[in-house]
């Protein structure tokens, strides 16, 4: 079991988005004239690297769990760059010498000594490609480098070979890494939430939840299993459900989280006495979940006006996270700007009586094939359901979700499937899952990456929304299947 947990930790990081690090270099932090830097640089670093430790580059949030990155491997050469499952062939490489203190203080608002860097000057490699890949690698010495991604600095040590990293190394005639073969299987856990119904007495009914496990091995057909509630991986597998209790006066919906390894259960705190609580889960990842909820005296339908995003390890509403917890101080101006735009475009009646914006009033939800952040400003009158919601344009954050790349893109999917409401794609191009109101359609793709004319499988839906997609590659597909087959049943 211990070895399997280790494998799962590796996978949770490997199934991540292509790097989207961006930004410009400030001249004041780069040595003005440095003749030692070649005009057409090569990546003068050893080829094989393995993760050692991690630091947060967010000065307001130094809580980083290095266990998530254990076993992560990296390949560096002029022909191929691979970090986890992200691979770039024929990368573009730029090199510069930076003033370490000035550069880190300007770019990250943090002293380099706080993240383990002590040299006054360093060599920085910027690696990009035409598809949008971007990474920054700081050379610490011949045997140690630091990679910056999503406000986290990952240190790697040089190694002679890569073992237990999820990377299969293929070398050319000179012994240098050239490329990596694709996985032999892909699998995805898709969490679904159904729509509520109101009974003849006006009582707001429950939202049904389930998890689909969709797998395909290369050269084989698709298999689909169904598990009750929401099954998802962390260091071990967990099952999340919304438990409902109803009596003559109130309805109480409570989040219940079960650790499937040791069977321990965590329950959300009970709502205030005499109040009904309704909870719709809108997002689940390895570490976070989002809930749109409602507290009121009645059992009837109304606005889900209590937005919260919470850490899985700290499930209570009172401990919901704020935007600055995820994106640092720069996140708050983005949220305020989005709120101001929504207020400016709203009708006067929509904004009259609104209270102040709260940075912890937001959720993640699906929109056009991707996760988006949605904030909400509620009425100053706590008894009113009135409020204003607004989308926020935040970058992908590996701490919140690790993979959300869509191939082909959303507009191409809508051209092929006009009824599409959502879609997710496998990391190795095995298949794309398209959601319509009544079905999940699983498509293979042609050599150009476009969907084939007909789906290879269909799964009936009851007007359900995607609230989670977690991917497994290679031999991890069999590992996850073992768990799923113990808990669910095959439906395809």
């Amino acid at each position: 079991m211990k070895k399997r947990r280790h494998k799962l930790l590796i996978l949770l990081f490997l199934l991540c988005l292509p790097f989207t690090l961006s930004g410009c270099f400030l001249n004041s932090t780069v040595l003005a004239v440095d003749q030692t830097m070649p005009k057409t640089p090569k990546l003068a670093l050893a080829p094989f690297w393995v993760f050692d430790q991690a630091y947060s580059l967010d000065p307001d949030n130094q809580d980083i769990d290095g266990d998530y990155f254990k076993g992560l491997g990296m390949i560096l050469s002029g022909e191929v760059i691979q970090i986890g499952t992200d691979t770039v062939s024929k990368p573009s490489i730029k090199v510069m010498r930076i003033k370490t203190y000035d550069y880190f203080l300007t770019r990250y608002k943090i002293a380099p000594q706080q993240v383990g860097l002590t040299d006054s000057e360093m060599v920085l490699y910027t690696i990009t490609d035409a598809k949008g890949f971007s990474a920054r690698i700081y050379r610490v010495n011949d045997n140690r480098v630091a990679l910056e991604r999503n406000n986290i600095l990952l240190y790697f040590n040089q190694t002679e070979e890569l073992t237990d990293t999820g990377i299969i190394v293929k070398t050319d005639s000179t012994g240098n890494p050239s490329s990596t073969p694709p996985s032999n299987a892909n699998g995805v856990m898709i969490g679904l939430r159904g729509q509520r119904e109101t009974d003849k007495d006006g009582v707001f009914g429950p939202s049904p939840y389930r998890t689909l496990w969709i797998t395909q091995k290369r050269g084989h057909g698709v298999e689909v299993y169904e598990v009750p509630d929401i099954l998802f991986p962390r260091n071990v597998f967990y099952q999340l459900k919304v438990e409902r209790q109803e009596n003559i006066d109130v309805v109480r919906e409570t989040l219940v989280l079960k650790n499937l390894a040791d069977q321990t259960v965590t329950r959300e705190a009970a709502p205030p006495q005499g109040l009904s609580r309704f909870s719709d889960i809108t997002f689940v990842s390895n570490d976070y979940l989002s809930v749109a909820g409602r507290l009121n005296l009645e059992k009837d339908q109304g606005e889900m006006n209590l937005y919260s995003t919470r850490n899985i390890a700290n499930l209570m509403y009172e401990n919901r996270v704020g935007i600055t917890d995820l994106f640092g101080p720069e996140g708050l101006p983005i949220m305020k700007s989005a709120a101001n735009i929504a207020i400016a475009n709203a009708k006067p009646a929509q904004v009259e009586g609104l209270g102040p914006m709260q940075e912890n009033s937001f959720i993640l939800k699906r929109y056009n094939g991707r996760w988006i952040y949605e904030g909400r400003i509620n009425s100053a009158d706590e008894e009113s359901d009135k409020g204003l919601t607004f989308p926020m344009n935040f970058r992908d954050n590996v701490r919140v979700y690790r993979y959300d790349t869509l191939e082909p893109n959303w507009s191409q999917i809508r051209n092929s499937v006009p009824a599409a409401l959502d879609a997710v794609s496998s990391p190795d191009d095995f298949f794309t899952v398209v959601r319509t109101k009544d079905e999940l359609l699983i498509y293979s793709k042609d050599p150009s990456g476009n969907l084939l004319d007909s789906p290879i499988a269909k799964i009936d839906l009851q007007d359900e929304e995607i609230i989670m997609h977690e991917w497994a590659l290679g031999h991890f597909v069999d590992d996850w299947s073992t768990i799923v087959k113990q808990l669910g049943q095959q439906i395809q």
Side-chain angles (χ1 to χ4, degrees):
M1 178 62 73
K2 185 175 181 181
K3 185 174 182 181
R4 179 171 296 173
R5 291 182 186 181
H6 178 66
K7 290 181 178 179
L8 290 175
L9 281 171
I10 297 170
L11 176 65
L12 294 180
F13 180 80
L14 297 185
L15 302 182
C16 59
L17 288 171
F19 297 96
T20 54
L21 308 176
S22 60
C24 58
F25 296 101
L26 303 180
N27 290 333
S28 62
T29 67
V30 179
L31 299 190
V33 177
D34 192 339
Q35 298 298 330
T36 66
M37 296 291 98
K39 294 183 179 179
T40 54
K42 294 182 179 180
L43 198 60
L45 297 169
F48 303 137
W49 302 83
V50 65
F51 170 78
D52 177 49
Q53 65 183 130
Y55 287 92
S56 172
L57 290 168
D58 181 352
D60 296 321
N61 188 356
Q62 295 295 301
D63 184 20
I64 291 292
D65 186 354
D67 285 345
Y68 284 119
F69 310 113
K70 281 184 178 178
L72 177 65
M74 180 165 65
I75 297 174
L76 302 176
S77 79
E79 293 299 316
V80 62
I81 303 290
Q82 182 170 0
I83 306 165
T85 55
D86 286 322
T87 303
V88 176
S89 298
K90 301 186 184 305
S92 173
I93 301 169
K94 294 182 180 179
V95 61
M96 63 182 69
R97 192 181 301 275
I98 62 172
K99 300 175 181 178
T100 311
Y101 182 82
D102 293 343
Y103 186 88
F104 272 75
L105 198 63
T106 301
R107 184 169 195 89
Y108 306 113
K109 297 180 176 58
I110 199 168
Q113 291 84 354
Q114 293 178 253
V115 292
L117 297 173
T118 57
D119 290 345
S120 60
E121 297 176 7
M122 295 184 68
V123 173
L124 167 63
Y125 295 92
T126 305
I127 301 165
T128 58
D129 77 345
K131 295 182 180 180
F133 178 99
S134 178
R136 294 184 182 89
I137 296 177
Y138 302 89
R139 181 186 177 278
V140 180
N141 55 49
D142 287 344
N143 300 312
R144 190 167 173 82
V145 298
L147 164 75
E148 184 262 340
R149 63 153 305 169
N150 290 322
N151 240 17
I152 299 175
L153 194 67
L154 304 173
Y155 281 90
F156 289 78
N157 292 331
Q158 191 267 330
T159 184
E160 294 301 317
E161 59 182 1
L162 289 172
T163 58
D164 260 350
T165 61
I167 294 179
I168 303 173
V169 180
K170 181 179 179 181
T171 57
D172 58 23
S173 58
T174 65
N176 292 316
S178 56
S179 63
T180 57
S183 299
N184 64 349
N186 276 192
V188 60
M189 285 183 176
I190 295 182
L192 297 169
R193 187 191 77 244
Q195 301 301 310
R196 295 178 182 269
E197 295 182 357
T198 303
D199 68 17
K200 59 182 179 60
D201 296 321
V203 177
F204 210 15
S207 291
Y209 294 88
R210 60 173 172 154
T211 302
L212 299 180
W213 171 235
I214 303 171
T215 67
Q216 184 180 32
K217 294 186 176 180
R218 196 170 295 281
H220 293 77
V222 168
E223 289 187 350
V224 183
Y225 285 79
E226 179 181 346
V227 177
D229 303 312
I230 302 301
L231 177 70
F232 66 100
R234 297 190 76 211
N235 52 338
V236 298
F237 276 92
Y238 285 76
Q239 203 158 16
L240 175 67
K241 68 177 180 178
V242 178
E243 189 177 86
R244 182 180 171 100
Q245 296 177 326
E246 182 176 351
N247 59 36
I248 193 169
D249 296 317
V250 297
V251 172
R252 292 180 176 176
E253 293 184 343
T254 300
L255 302 182
V256 179
L257 183 67
K258 185 176 183 180
N259 180 320
L260 297 183
D262 61 17
Q263 302 298 303
T264 56
V265 174
T266 303
R267 299 176 62 87
E268 185 181 15
Q273 190 68 27
L275 289 181
S276 289
R277 178 173 63 195
F278 299 94
S279 299
D280 279 350
I281 301 172
T282 66
F283 165 78
V284 179
S285 70
N286 308 118
D287 296 311
Y288 292 93
L289 61 87
S290 290
V291 181
R294 175 169 171 257
L295 284 172
N296 72 326
L297 292 170
E298 307 295 335
K299 299 193 293 184
D300 56 346
Q301 185 173 354
E303 283 275 333
M304 293 291 191
N305 62 343
L306 299 179
Y307 277 21
S308 65
T309 295
R310 316 175 197 179
N311 194 299
I312 294 291
N314 211 340
L315 197 59
M316 307 309 167
Y317 176 81
E318 293 75 16
N319 298 318
R320 57 199 182 277
V321 300
I323 283 295
T324 54
D325 294 320
L326 303 182
F327 295 100
E330 66 271 22
L332 197 54
I334 295 174
M335 187 177 191
K336 288 179 178 178
S337 176
N340 290 335
I341 291 172
I343 290 171
N345 291 330
K347 296 178 181 179
Q350 292 177 288
V351 299
E352 184 180 357
L354 289 182
M357 186 199 79
Q358 304 290 335
E359 70 152 310
N360 55 15
S361 180
F362 73 94
I363 59 174
L364 283 89
K365 60 188 292 188
R366 299 293 294 175
Y367 178 76
N368 287 355
R370 65 189 183 98
W371 294 116
I372 67 163
Y373 293 78
E374 181 177 275
R376 181 180 175 93
I377 303 175
N378 284 325
S379 171
D381 180 1
E382 293 184 358
E383 296 184 2
S384 173
D385 284 347
K386 182 179 177 180
L388 181 69
T389 62
F390 53 94
M392 298 178 286
N393 187 23
F394 285 107
R395 65 184 184 272
D396 297 316
N397 186 332
V398 69
R399 297 178 64 192
V400 183
Y401 56 83
R402 288 170 170 79
Y403 178 80
D404 195 33
T405 299
L406 193 59
E407 188 66 36
N409 63 38
W410 180 246
S411 61
Q412 292 172 308
I413 289 174
R414 284 298 302 270
N415 286 337
S416 299
V417 188
L421 299 174
D422 197 0
V424 297
S425 293
S426 62
D428 282 337
D429 270 349
F430 272 58
F431 54 83
T432 292
V433 181
V434 179
R435 179 181 77 87
T436 69
K437 182 178 176 62
D438 301 317
E439 292 178 306
L440 281 182
L441 307 174
I442 304 173
Y443 286 90
S444 293
K445 287 171 272 190
D446 64 24
S448 299
N450 298 312
L451 301 185
L452 296 179
D453 291 339
S454 300
I456 57 176
K458 297 180 180 180
I459 304 166
D460 290 337
L461 297 181
Q462 301 297 322
D463 196 11
E464 296 163 278
E465 298 180 29
I466 295 174
I467 63 171
M468 178 192 76
H469 64 107
E470 293 286 336
W471 292 88
L473 304 178
H475 65 85
F476 292 105
V477 173
D478 288 335
D479 292 344
W480 291 22
S481 290
T482 299
I483 300 295
V484 169
K485 291 176 181 179
Q486 293 172 0
L487 301 172
Q489 61 182 355
Q490 188 169 7
I491 62 173
Q492 184 76 28

